[in-house]
Amino acid sequence: MTLEVYWGSGSPFAWRVLLTLEVKQLPYQSKLLTFSKQEHKSPEYLALNPRGKVPTLKDGDFTLYESLAIMAYLDRAYPERPIFGRTPQETGTIWQKVSEGISYVCEPISRVTGPLLFGGASEKESEIRAAATTVAKELAHLEAAVAKSPWLAGAAISAADIVVFPWIQLLLRAAGKEAAKPLNLGFLPLATRYPHLAAWVKRIEAIPGYERTYPPHW
Ligand SMILES: N[C@@H](CCC(=O)N[C@@H](CS)C(=O)NCC(=O)O)C(=O)O
């Protein structure tokens, strides 16, 4: 059965699915949609995903959207190299980290990166600064976690790493933009500010196939 993944360059949600496939070493057909051409709003695509968002997965006749749902499906359908753990304790710990990532890390990062990447940074300076303070606290938690173990939920890469990683990359990209320089948000250089997190980023970047997941327009 061929797995088909519909994704968009730079989407942190779609990036999760691509990373899941590479970590699980599952072959897939890449269907890269171009946001500027509104390919994610075409009637053909809306028939697969009525929300017109990426990612969407097709596995034969089965279609699924929402990044976490796709990750859970792939792990259940293709259990080798599990990303949601092998024991109840591992599964619980991974889900705790996934939930913390979604609840506390990704959203404030999006409030920092949105205006820096898509415009409006000078008008939204105080909002960016407020969100950046929250992000800094969360990065400190992540730094402590990967100082203790190589991966966020222990000794093996898991859904926890995959859920959070694209947002960290998005943050690093936004923090390096010209519009971010006057704000001096304090995230860069990552290797100096958060050395364990920087080493964790490098570990993920070393995953075979990582380059296939990297946003082509970056
Ligand atoms: N909750 C969804 C979020 C998906 C999402 O928001 N994707 C964005 C790209 S980052 C998108 O396709 N946006 C296009 C649009 O809303 O028109 C998931 O986890 O998959």
Side-chain angles (χ1 to χ4, degrees), residues 3-40:
L3 293 165
E4 292 169 73
V5 187
Y6 295 81
W7 60 292
S9 182
S11 160
F13 302 103
W15 203 344
R16 290 173 180 169
V17 171
L18 298 174
L19 276 174
T20 298
L21 289 159
E22 298 296 348
V23 166
K24 293 182 71 64
Q25 297 181 18
L26 295 169
Y28 58 94
Q29 232 180 59
S30 157
K31 307 270 188 183
L32 176 60
L33 303 181
T34 306
F35 289 125
S36 59
K37 292 188 191 155
Q38 292 288 297
E39 287 179 345
H40 56 306

PDB file of all heavy atoms in Angstrom, residues 3-40:
ATOM      1  N   LEU A   3       1.630   5.027   0.884  1.00  0.00           N
ATOM      2  CA  LEU A   3       1.212   6.147   1.730  1.00  0.00           C
ATOM      3  C   LEU A   3       1.424   7.429   0.929  1.00  0.00           C
ATOM      4  O   LEU A   3       2.472   7.604   0.310  1.00  0.00           O
ATOM      5  CB  LEU A   3       2.065   6.198   2.996  1.00  0.00           C
ATOM      6  CG  LEU A   3       1.897   5.047   3.986  1.00  0.00           C
ATOM      7  CD1 LEU A   3       3.040   5.036   4.999  1.00  0.00           C
ATOM      8  CD2 LEU A   3       0.555   5.167   4.697  1.00  0.00           C
ATOM      9  N   GLU A   4       0.413   8.286   0.940  1.00  0.00           N
ATOM     10  CA  GLU A   4       0.544   9.576   0.251  1.00  0.00           C
ATOM     11  C   GLU A   4       0.362  10.685   1.282  1.00  0.00           C
ATOM     12  O   GLU A   4      -0.603  10.649   2.056  1.00  0.00           O
ATOM     13  CB  GLU A   4      -0.537   9.732  -0.817  1.00  0.00           C
ATOM     14  CG  GLU A   4      -0.389   8.779  -1.989  1.00  0.00           C
ATOM     15  CD  GLU A   4      -1.637   8.814  -2.856  1.00  0.00           C
ATOM     16  OE1 GLU A   4      -1.848   9.800  -3.569  1.00  0.00           O
ATOM     17  OE2 GLU A   4      -2.421   7.846  -2.776  1.00  0.00           O
ATOM     18  N   VAL A   5       1.264  11.641   1.264  1.00  0.00           N
ATOM     19  CA  VAL A   5       1.183  12.739   2.230  1.00  0.00           C
ATOM     20  C   VAL A   5       1.043  14.058   1.509  1.00  0.00           C
ATOM     21  O   VAL A   5       1.899  14.442   0.714  1.00  0.00           O
ATOM     22  CB  VAL A   5       2.458  12.821   3.104  1.00  0.00           C
ATOM     23  CG1 VAL A   5       2.261  13.850   4.207  1.00  0.00           C
ATOM     24  CG2 VAL A   5       2.785  11.492   3.683  1.00  0.00           C
ATOM     25  N   TYR A   6      -0.011  14.763   1.827  1.00  0.00           N
ATOM     26  CA  TYR A   6      -0.230  16.118   1.300  1.00  0.00           C
ATOM     27  C   TYR A   6       0.297  17.093   2.340  1.00  0.00           C
ATOM     28  O   TYR A   6      -0.103  17.038   3.509  1.00  0.00           O
ATOM     29  CB  TYR A   6      -1.727  16.351   1.047  1.00  0.00           C
ATOM     30  CG  TYR A   6      -2.277  15.466  -0.036  1.00  0.00           C
ATOM     31  CD1 TYR A   6      -2.631  14.142   0.234  1.00  0.00           C
ATOM     32  CD2 TYR A   6      -2.428  15.939  -1.337  1.00  0.00           C
ATOM     33  CE1 TYR A   6      -3.120  13.308  -0.766  1.00  0.00           C
ATOM     34  CE2 TYR A   6      -2.914  15.111  -2.347  1.00  0.00           C
ATOM     35  CZ  TYR A   6      -3.267  13.806  -2.056  1.00  0.00           C
ATOM     36  OH  TYR A   6      -3.743  12.982  -3.036  1.00  0.00           O
ATOM     37  N   TRP A   7       1.206  17.948   1.902  1.00  0.00           N
ATOM     38  CA  TRP A   7       1.821  18.853   2.864  1.00  0.00           C
ATOM     39  C   TRP A   7       2.117  20.187   2.213  1.00  0.00           C
ATOM     40  O   TRP A   7       1.948  20.352   1.002  1.00  0.00           O
ATOM     41  CB  TRP A   7       3.080  18.224   3.465  1.00  0.00           C
ATOM     42  CG  TRP A   7       4.176  17.869   2.494  1.00  0.00           C
ATOM     43  CD1 TRP A   7       4.127  16.892   1.529  1.00  0.00           C
ATOM     44  CD2 TRP A   7       5.465  18.474   2.378  1.00  0.00           C
ATOM     45  NE1 TRP A   7       5.317  16.856   0.850  1.00  0.00           N
ATOM     46  CE2 TRP A   7       6.168  17.808   1.351  1.00  0.00           C
ATOM     47  CE3 TRP A   7       6.123  19.501   3.070  1.00  0.00           C
ATOM     48  CZ2 TRP A   7       7.466  18.140   0.983  1.00  0.00           C
ATOM     49  CZ3 TRP A   7       7.419  19.836   2.715  1.00  0.00           C
ATOM     50  CH2 TRP A   7       8.074  19.156   1.675  1.00  0.00           C
ATOM     51  N   GLY A   8       2.527  21.153   3.028  1.00  0.00           N
ATOM     52  CA  GLY A   8       2.889  22.474   2.517  1.00  0.00           C
ATOM     53  C   GLY A   8       4.211  22.872   3.129  1.00  0.00           C
ATOM     54  O   GLY A   8       4.475  22.559   4.299  1.00  0.00           O
ATOM     55  N   SER A   9       5.044  23.561   2.346  1.00  0.00           N
ATOM     56  CA  SER A   9       6.369  23.937   2.820  1.00  0.00           C
ATOM     57  C   SER A   9       6.276  24.850   4.043  1.00  0.00           C
ATOM     58  O   SER A   9       5.606  25.879   4.003  1.00  0.00           O
ATOM     59  CB  SER A   9       7.124  24.649   1.695  1.00  0.00           C
ATOM     60  OG  SER A   9       8.412  24.985   2.127  1.00  0.00           O
ATOM     61  N   GLY A  10       6.965  24.469   5.114  1.00  0.00           N
ATOM     62  CA  GLY A  10       7.040  25.309   6.315  1.00  0.00           C
ATOM     63  C   GLY A  10       5.911  25.078   7.300  1.00  0.00           C
ATOM     64  O   GLY A  10       5.933  25.652   8.388  1.00  0.00           O
ATOM     65  N   SER A  11       4.948  24.243   6.961  1.00  0.00           N
ATOM     66  CA  SER A  11       3.875  23.976   7.924  1.00  0.00           C
ATOM     67  C   SER A  11       4.408  23.071   9.033  1.00  0.00           C
ATOM     68  O   SER A  11       4.813  21.937   8.778  1.00  0.00           O
ATOM     69  CB  SER A  11       2.695  23.279   7.235  1.00  0.00           C
ATOM     70  OG  SER A  11       1.902  22.619   8.226  1.00  0.00           O
ATOM     71  N   PRO A  12       4.403  23.572  10.285  1.00  0.00           N
ATOM     72  CA  PRO A  12       4.921  22.733  11.374  1.00  0.00           C
ATOM     73  C   PRO A  12       4.063  21.486  11.598  1.00  0.00           C
ATOM     74  O   PRO A  12       4.561  20.451  12.052  1.00  0.00           O
ATOM     75  CB  PRO A  12       4.884  23.663  12.588  1.00  0.00           C
ATOM     76  CG  PRO A  12       3.947  24.763  12.231  1.00  0.00           C
ATOM     77  CD  PRO A  12       3.959  24.890  10.739  1.00  0.00           C
ATOM     78  N   PHE A  13       2.780  21.593  11.252  1.00  0.00           N
ATOM     79  CA  PHE A  13       1.887  20.431  11.426  1.00  0.00           C
ATOM     80  C   PHE A  13       2.232  19.343  10.408  1.00  0.00           C
ATOM     81  O   PHE A  13       2.318  18.161  10.745  1.00  0.00           O
ATOM     82  CB  PHE A  13       0.426  20.871  11.272  1.00  0.00           C
ATOM     83  CG  PHE A  13       0.029  21.938  12.247  1.00  0.00           C
ATOM     84  CD1 PHE A  13      -0.075  23.270  11.851  1.00  0.00           C
ATOM     85  CD2 PHE A  13      -0.228  21.633  13.568  1.00  0.00           C
ATOM     86  CE1 PHE A  13      -0.420  24.264  12.755  1.00  0.00           C
ATOM     87  CE2 PHE A  13      -0.582  22.616  14.484  1.00  0.00           C
ATOM     88  CZ  PHE A  13      -0.675  23.933  14.070  1.00  0.00           C
ATOM     89  N   ALA A  14       2.419  19.771   9.174  1.00  0.00           N
ATOM     90  CA  ALA A  14       2.783  18.805   8.131  1.00  0.00           C
ATOM     91  C   ALA A  14       4.168  18.217   8.399  1.00  0.00           C
ATOM     92  O   ALA A  14       4.415  17.031   8.156  1.00  0.00           O
ATOM     93  CB  ALA A  14       2.745  19.488   6.764  1.00  0.00           C
ATOM     94  N   TRP A  15       5.059  19.062   8.934  1.00  0.00           N
ATOM     95  CA  TRP A  15       6.431  18.603   9.215  1.00  0.00           C
ATOM     96  C   TRP A  15       6.406  17.430  10.199  1.00  0.00           C
ATOM     97  O   TRP A  15       7.183  16.482  10.112  1.00  0.00           O
ATOM     98  CB  TRP A  15       7.250  19.774   9.767  1.00  0.00           C
ATOM     99  CG  TRP A  15       8.729  19.644   9.593  1.00  0.00           C
ATOM    100  CD1 TRP A  15       9.437  18.502   9.285  1.00  0.00           C
ATOM    101  CD2 TRP A  15       9.704  20.685   9.721  1.00  0.00           C
ATOM    102  NE1 TRP A  15      10.778  18.776   9.222  1.00  0.00           N
ATOM    103  CE2 TRP A  15      10.968  20.115   9.486  1.00  0.00           C
ATOM    104  CE3 TRP A  15       9.634  22.050  10.020  1.00  0.00           C
ATOM    105  CZ2 TRP A  15      12.161  20.856   9.547  1.00  0.00           C
ATOM    106  CZ3 TRP A  15      10.808  22.790  10.075  1.00  0.00           C
ATOM    107  CH2 TRP A  15      12.052  22.192   9.835  1.00  0.00           C
ATOM    108  N   ARG A  16       5.467  17.482  11.164  1.00  0.00           N
ATOM    109  CA  ARG A  16       5.349  16.364  12.122  1.00  0.00           C
ATOM    110  C   ARG A  16       5.121  15.033  11.400  1.00  0.00           C
ATOM    111  O   ARG A  16       5.699  14.008  11.765  1.00  0.00           O
ATOM    112  CB  ARG A  16       4.139  16.587  13.040  1.00  0.00           C
ATOM    113  CG  ARG A  16       4.287  17.689  14.027  1.00  0.00           C
ATOM    114  CD  ARG A  16       2.964  17.892  14.745  1.00  0.00           C
ATOM    115  NE  ARG A  16       3.053  18.952  15.729  1.00  0.00           N
ATOM    116  CZ  ARG A  16       1.999  19.471  16.343  1.00  0.00           C
ATOM    117  NH1 ARG A  16       0.778  19.049  16.071  1.00  0.00           N
ATOM    118  NH2 ARG A  16       2.155  20.419  17.238  1.00  0.00           N
ATOM    119  N   VAL A  17       4.271  15.072  10.400  1.00  0.00           N
ATOM    120  CA  VAL A  17       3.916  13.830   9.700  1.00  0.00           C
ATOM    121  C   VAL A  17       5.100  13.331   8.877  1.00  0.00           C
ATOM    122  O   VAL A  17       5.417  12.135   8.883  1.00  0.00           O
ATOM    123  CB  VAL A  17       2.663  14.057   8.823  1.00  0.00           C
ATOM    124  CG1 VAL A  17       2.411  12.869   7.925  1.00  0.00           C
ATOM    125  CG2 VAL A  17       1.464  14.326   9.719  1.00  0.00           C
ATOM    126  N   LEU A  18       5.773  14.262   8.200  1.00  0.00           N
ATOM    127  CA  LEU A  18       6.952  13.846   7.417  1.00  0.00           C
ATOM    128  C   LEU A  18       8.016  13.252   8.334  1.00  0.00           C
ATOM    129  O   LEU A  18       8.613  12.212   8.019  1.00  0.00           O
ATOM    130  CB  LEU A  18       7.520  15.049   6.645  1.00  0.00           C
ATOM    131  CG  LEU A  18       6.594  15.678   5.608  1.00  0.00           C
ATOM    132  CD1 LEU A  18       7.220  16.942   5.030  1.00  0.00           C
ATOM    133  CD2 LEU A  18       6.273  14.699   4.481  1.00  0.00           C
ATOM    134  N   LEU A  19       8.223  13.867   9.480  1.00  0.00           N
ATOM    135  CA  LEU A  19       9.231  13.341  10.418  1.00  0.00           C
ATOM    136  C   LEU A  19       8.822  11.965  10.946  1.00  0.00           C
ATOM    137  O   LEU A  19       9.655  11.066  11.087  1.00  0.00           O
ATOM    138  CB  LEU A  19       9.404  14.301  11.596  1.00  0.00           C
ATOM    139  CG  LEU A  19      10.350  15.477  11.390  1.00  0.00           C
ATOM    140  CD1 LEU A  19      10.303  16.416  12.595  1.00  0.00           C
ATOM    141  CD2 LEU A  19      11.782  14.998  11.167  1.00  0.00           C
ATOM    142  N   THR A  20       7.537  11.813  11.223  1.00  0.00           N
ATOM    143  CA  THR A  20       7.042  10.506  11.694  1.00  0.00           C
ATOM    144  C   THR A  20       7.374   9.432  10.666  1.00  0.00           C
ATOM    145  O   THR A  20       7.876   8.351  11.008  1.00  0.00           O
ATOM    146  CB  THR A  20       5.517  10.560  11.927  1.00  0.00           C
ATOM    147  OG1 THR A  20       5.258  11.517  12.945  1.00  0.00           O
ATOM    148  CG2 THR A  20       4.947   9.217  12.332  1.00  0.00           C
ATOM    149  N   LEU A  21       7.110   9.727   9.408  1.00  0.00           N
ATOM    150  CA  LEU A  21       7.363   8.747   8.340  1.00  0.00           C
ATOM    151  C   LEU A  21       8.852   8.422   8.245  1.00  0.00           C
ATOM    152  O   LEU A  21       9.229   7.259   8.077  1.00  0.00           O
ATOM    153  CB  LEU A  21       6.838   9.286   7.008  1.00  0.00           C
ATOM    154  CG  LEU A  21       5.316   9.328   6.926  1.00  0.00           C
ATOM    155  CD1 LEU A  21       4.851  10.308   5.859  1.00  0.00           C
ATOM    156  CD2 LEU A  21       4.748   7.940   6.647  1.00  0.00           C
ATOM    157  N   GLU A  22       9.694   9.433   8.377  1.00  0.00           N
ATOM    158  CA  GLU A  22      11.143   9.185   8.284  1.00  0.00           C
ATOM    159  C   GLU A  22      11.637   8.415   9.506  1.00  0.00           C
ATOM    160  O   GLU A  22      12.422   7.480   9.369  1.00  0.00           O
ATOM    161  CB  GLU A  22      11.914  10.508   8.129  1.00  0.00           C
ATOM    162  CG  GLU A  22      11.577  11.301   6.869  1.00  0.00           C
ATOM    163  CD  GLU A  22      11.938  10.591   5.558  1.00  0.00           C
ATOM    164  OE1 GLU A  22      12.648   9.575   5.586  1.00  0.00           O
ATOM    165  OE2 GLU A  22      11.492  11.084   4.500  1.00  0.00           O
ATOM    166  N   VAL A  23      11.168   8.783  10.684  1.00  0.00           N
ATOM    167  CA  VAL A  23      11.604   8.086  11.904  1.00  0.00           C
ATOM    168  C   VAL A  23      11.163   6.619  11.847  1.00  0.00           C
ATOM    169  O   VAL A  23      11.908   5.720  12.222  1.00  0.00           O
ATOM    170  CB  VAL A  23      11.025   8.791  13.162  1.00  0.00           C
ATOM    171  CG1 VAL A  23      11.156   7.919  14.401  1.00  0.00           C
ATOM    172  CG2 VAL A  23      11.740  10.123  13.375  1.00  0.00           C
ATOM    173  N   LYS A  24       9.968   6.391  11.335  1.00  0.00           N
ATOM    174  CA  LYS A  24       9.462   5.020  11.248  1.00  0.00           C
ATOM    175  C   LYS A  24       9.960   4.302   9.986  1.00  0.00           C
ATOM    176  O   LYS A  24       9.618   3.148   9.744  1.00  0.00           O
ATOM    177  CB  LYS A  24       7.924   5.028  11.314  1.00  0.00           C
ATOM    178  CG  LYS A  24       7.415   5.482  12.688  1.00  0.00           C
ATOM    179  CD  LYS A  24       5.919   5.465  12.802  1.00  0.00           C
ATOM    180  CE  LYS A  24       5.341   4.080  12.856  1.00  0.00           C
ATOM    181  NZ  LYS A  24       5.742   3.280  14.037  1.00  0.00           N
ATOM    182  N   GLN A  25      10.714   5.041   9.188  1.00  0.00           N
ATOM    183  CA  GLN A  25      11.300   4.498   7.949  1.00  0.00           C
ATOM    184  C   GLN A  25      10.238   3.902   7.033  1.00  0.00           C
ATOM    185  O   GLN A  25      10.381   2.804   6.501  1.00  0.00           O
ATOM    186  CB  GLN A  25      12.396   3.482   8.278  1.00  0.00           C
ATOM    187  CG  GLN A  25      13.548   4.141   9.036  1.00  0.00           C
ATOM    188  CD  GLN A  25      14.692   3.192   9.376  1.00  0.00           C
ATOM    189  OE1 GLN A  25      14.819   2.123   8.794  1.00  0.00           O
ATOM    190  NE2 GLN A  25      15.517   3.579  10.319  1.00  0.00           N
ATOM    191  N   LEU A  26       9.146   4.665   6.878  1.00  0.00           N
ATOM    192  CA  LEU A  26       8.058   4.240   5.991  1.00  0.00           C
ATOM    193  C   LEU A  26       8.185   4.978   4.661  1.00  0.00           C
ATOM    194  O   LEU A  26       8.272   6.213   4.645  1.00  0.00           O
ATOM    195  CB  LEU A  26       6.697   4.569   6.623  1.00  0.00           C
ATOM    196  CG  LEU A  26       6.369   3.810   7.904  1.00  0.00           C
ATOM    197  CD1 LEU A  26       5.138   4.418   8.589  1.00  0.00           C
ATOM    198  CD2 LEU A  26       6.126   2.333   7.597  1.00  0.00           C
ATOM    199  N   PRO A  27       8.183   4.238   3.547  1.00  0.00           N
ATOM    200  CA  PRO A  27       8.221   4.938   2.259  1.00  0.00           C
ATOM    201  C   PRO A  27       6.889   5.641   1.993  1.00  0.00           C
ATOM    202  O   PRO A  27       5.840   5.161   2.430  1.00  0.00           O
ATOM    203  CB  PRO A  27       8.448   3.805   1.248  1.00  0.00           C
ATOM    204  CG  PRO A  27       8.185   2.533   1.966  1.00  0.00           C
ATOM    205  CD  PRO A  27       8.144   2.784   3.437  1.00  0.00           C
ATOM    206  N   TYR A  28       6.946   6.784   1.332  1.00  0.00           N
ATOM    207  CA  TYR A  28       5.709   7.528   1.063  1.00  0.00           C
ATOM    208  C   TYR A  28       5.860   8.353  -0.199  1.00  0.00           C
ATOM    209  O   TYR A  28       6.968   8.666  -0.634  1.00  0.00           O
ATOM    210  CB  TYR A  28       5.357   8.449   2.246  1.00  0.00           C
ATOM    211  CG  TYR A  28       6.424   9.454   2.592  1.00  0.00           C
ATOM    212  CD1 TYR A  28       6.402  10.755   2.075  1.00  0.00           C
ATOM    213  CD2 TYR A  28       7.473   9.113   3.439  1.00  0.00           C
ATOM    214  CE1 TYR A  28       7.383  11.680   2.401  1.00  0.00           C
ATOM    215  CE2 TYR A  28       8.466  10.037   3.772  1.00  0.00           C
ATOM    216  CZ  TYR A  28       8.411  11.310   3.246  1.00  0.00           C
ATOM    217  OH  TYR A  28       9.399  12.233   3.564  1.00  0.00           O
ATOM    218  N   GLN A  29       4.704   8.685  -0.739  1.00  0.00           N
ATOM    219  CA  GLN A  29       4.678   9.573  -1.907  1.00  0.00           C
ATOM    220  C   GLN A  29       4.401  10.986  -1.406  1.00  0.00           C
ATOM    221  O   GLN A  29       3.392  11.198  -0.707  1.00  0.00           O
ATOM    222  CB  GLN A  29       3.551   9.134  -2.827  1.00  0.00           C
ATOM    223  CG  GLN A  29       3.987   8.918  -4.251  1.00  0.00           C
ATOM    224  CD  GLN A  29       2.808   8.483  -5.083  1.00  0.00           C
ATOM    225  OE1 GLN A  29       1.812   9.186  -5.182  1.00  0.00           O
ATOM    226  NE2 GLN A  29       2.920   7.303  -5.685  1.00  0.00           N
ATOM    227  N   SER A  30       5.277  11.892  -1.756  1.00  0.00           N
ATOM    228  CA  SER A  30       5.130  13.266  -1.281  1.00  0.00           C
ATOM    229  C   SER A  30       4.237  14.058  -2.234  1.00  0.00           C
ATOM    230  O   SER A  30       4.467  14.081  -3.440  1.00  0.00           O
ATOM    231  CB  SER A  30       6.523  13.878  -1.219  1.00  0.00           C
ATOM    232  OG  SER A  30       6.441  15.266  -1.289  1.00  0.00           O
ATOM    233  N   LYS A  31       3.207  14.699  -1.687  1.00  0.00           N
ATOM    234  CA  LYS A  31       2.328  15.568  -2.488  1.00  0.00           C
ATOM    235  C   LYS A  31       2.448  16.968  -1.909  1.00  0.00           C
ATOM    236  O   LYS A  31       1.723  17.317  -0.959  1.00  0.00           O
ATOM    237  CB  LYS A  31       0.873  15.100  -2.387  1.00  0.00           C
ATOM    238  CG  LYS A  31       0.677  13.632  -2.722  1.00  0.00           C
ATOM    239  CD  LYS A  31       0.413  13.477  -4.200  1.00  0.00           C
ATOM    240  CE  LYS A  31       0.013  12.053  -4.536  1.00  0.00           C
ATOM    241  NZ  LYS A  31      -0.183  11.857  -5.964  1.00  0.00           N
ATOM    242  N   LEU A  32       3.405  17.698  -2.426  1.00  0.00           N
ATOM    243  CA  LEU A  32       3.650  19.040  -1.902  1.00  0.00           C
ATOM    244  C   LEU A  32       2.679  20.036  -2.535  1.00  0.00           C
ATOM    245  O   LEU A  32       2.672  20.213  -3.753  1.00  0.00           O
ATOM    246  CB  LEU A  32       5.106  19.435  -2.189  1.00  0.00           C
ATOM    247  CG  LEU A  32       5.525  20.840  -1.793  1.00  0.00           C
ATOM    248  CD1 LEU A  32       5.357  21.090  -0.300  1.00  0.00           C
ATOM    249  CD2 LEU A  32       6.984  21.077  -2.194  1.00  0.00           C
ATOM    250  N   LEU A  33       1.854  20.661  -1.704  1.00  0.00           N
ATOM    251  CA  LEU A  33       0.887  21.645  -2.207  1.00  0.00           C
ATOM    252  C   LEU A  33       1.491  23.044  -2.086  1.00  0.00           C
ATOM    253  O   LEU A  33       2.224  23.328  -1.139  1.00  0.00           O
ATOM    254  CB  LEU A  33      -0.405  21.583  -1.397  1.00  0.00           C
ATOM    255  CG  LEU A  33      -1.118  20.222  -1.354  1.00  0.00           C
ATOM    256  CD1 LEU A  33      -2.410  20.326  -0.530  1.00  0.00           C
ATOM    257  CD2 LEU A  33      -1.433  19.711  -2.754  1.00  0.00           C
ATOM    258  N   THR A  34       1.163  23.903  -3.031  1.00  0.00           N
ATOM    259  CA  THR A  34       1.682  25.277  -2.998  1.00  0.00           C
ATOM    260  C   THR A  34       0.593  26.188  -2.438  1.00  0.00           C
ATOM    261  O   THR A  34      -0.464  26.362  -3.048  1.00  0.00           O
ATOM    262  CB  THR A  34       2.093  25.725  -4.417  1.00  0.00           C
ATOM    263  OG1 THR A  34       3.002  24.745  -4.922  1.00  0.00           O
ATOM    264  CG2 THR A  34       2.769  27.076  -4.415  1.00  0.00           C
ATOM    265  N   PHE A  35       0.888  26.743  -1.246  1.00  0.00           N
ATOM    266  CA  PHE A  35      -0.105  27.611  -0.595  1.00  0.00           C
ATOM    267  C   PHE A  35      -0.449  28.816  -1.480  1.00  0.00           C
ATOM    268  O   PHE A  35      -1.619  29.176  -1.596  1.00  0.00           O
ATOM    269  CB  PHE A  35       0.434  28.134   0.747  1.00  0.00           C
ATOM    270  CG  PHE A  35       0.525  27.090   1.836  1.00  0.00           C
ATOM    271  CD1 PHE A  35       1.732  26.855   2.491  1.00  0.00           C
ATOM    272  CD2 PHE A  35      -0.580  26.355   2.227  1.00  0.00           C
ATOM    273  CE1 PHE A  35       1.827  25.911   3.511  1.00  0.00           C
ATOM    274  CE2 PHE A  35      -0.501  25.405   3.245  1.00  0.00           C
ATOM    275  CZ  PHE A  35       0.710  25.192   3.881  1.00  0.00           C
ATOM    276  N   SER A  36       0.590  29.412  -2.111  1.00  0.00           N
ATOM    277  CA  SER A  36       0.336  30.651  -2.881  1.00  0.00           C
ATOM    278  C   SER A  36      -0.570  30.384  -4.088  1.00  0.00           C
ATOM    279  O   SER A  36      -1.231  31.284  -4.585  1.00  0.00           O
ATOM    280  CB  SER A  36       1.646  31.286  -3.334  1.00  0.00           C
ATOM    281  OG  SER A  36       2.351  30.362  -4.124  1.00  0.00           O
ATOM    282  N   LYS A  37      -0.591  29.129  -4.526  1.00  0.00           N
ATOM    283  CA  LYS A  37      -1.503  28.792  -5.637  1.00  0.00           C
ATOM    284  C   LYS A  37      -2.845  28.291  -5.108  1.00  0.00           C
ATOM    285  O   LYS A  37      -3.677  27.803  -5.884  1.00  0.00           O
ATOM    286  CB  LYS A  37      -0.876  27.698  -6.507  1.00  0.00           C
ATOM    287  CG  LYS A  37       0.336  28.137  -7.281  1.00  0.00           C
ATOM    288  CD  LYS A  37       0.727  27.024  -8.253  1.00  0.00           C
ATOM    289  CE  LYS A  37       2.071  27.266  -8.873  1.00  0.00           C
ATOM    290  NZ  LYS A  37       2.718  26.029  -9.313  1.00  0.00           N
ATOM    291  N   GLN A  38      -2.998  28.324  -3.794  1.00  0.00           N
ATOM    292  CA  GLN A  38      -4.259  27.885  -3.156  1.00  0.00           C
ATOM    293  C   GLN A  38      -4.580  26.415  -3.478  1.00  0.00           C
ATOM    294  O   GLN A  38      -5.763  26.043  -3.556  1.00  0.00           O
ATOM    295  CB  GLN A  38      -5.426  28.795  -3.589  1.00  0.00           C
ATOM    296  CG  GLN A  38      -5.311  30.219  -3.055  1.00  0.00           C
ATOM    297  CD  GLN A  38      -5.569  30.294  -1.549  1.00  0.00           C
ATOM    298  OE1 GLN A  38      -6.657  29.994  -1.076  1.00  0.00           O
ATOM    299  NE2 GLN A  38      -4.544  30.647  -0.791  1.00  0.00           N
ATOM    300  N   GLU A  39      -3.523  25.623  -3.659  1.00  0.00           N
ATOM    301  CA  GLU A  39      -3.776  24.211  -4.003  1.00  0.00           C
ATOM    302  C   GLU A  39      -4.473  23.464  -2.863  1.00  0.00           C
ATOM    303  O   GLU A  39      -5.139  22.468  -3.098  1.00  0.00           O
ATOM    304  CB  GLU A  39      -2.451  23.523  -4.368  1.00  0.00           C
ATOM    305  CG  GLU A  39      -1.946  23.976  -5.724  1.00  0.00           C
ATOM    306  CD  GLU A  39      -0.621  23.356  -6.126  1.00  0.00           C
ATOM    307  OE1 GLU A  39       0.078  22.785  -5.270  1.00  0.00           O
ATOM    308  OE2 GLU A  39      -0.265  23.468  -7.308  1.00  0.00           O
ATOM    309  N   HIS A  40      -4.325  24.000  -1.631  1.00  0.00           N
ATOM    310  CA  HIS A  40      -4.985  23.356  -0.480  1.00  0.00           C
ATOM    311  C   HIS A  40      -6.467  23.717  -0.401  1.00  0.00           C
ATOM    312  O   HIS A  40      -7.165  23.257   0.481  1.00  0.00           O
ATOM    313  CB  HIS A  40      -4.255  23.713   0.813  1.00  0.00           C
ATOM    314  CG  HIS A  40      -4.130  25.187   1.052  1.00  0.00           C
ATOM    315  ND1 HIS A  40      -3.593  26.069   0.140  1.00  0.00           N
ATOM    316  CD2 HIS A  40      -4.492  25.944   2.112  1.00  0.00           C
ATOM    317  CE1 HIS A  40      -3.620  27.295   0.622  1.00  0.00           C
ATOM    318  NE2 HIS A  40      -4.170  27.243   1.819  1.00  0.00           N
TER     319      HIS A  40
END
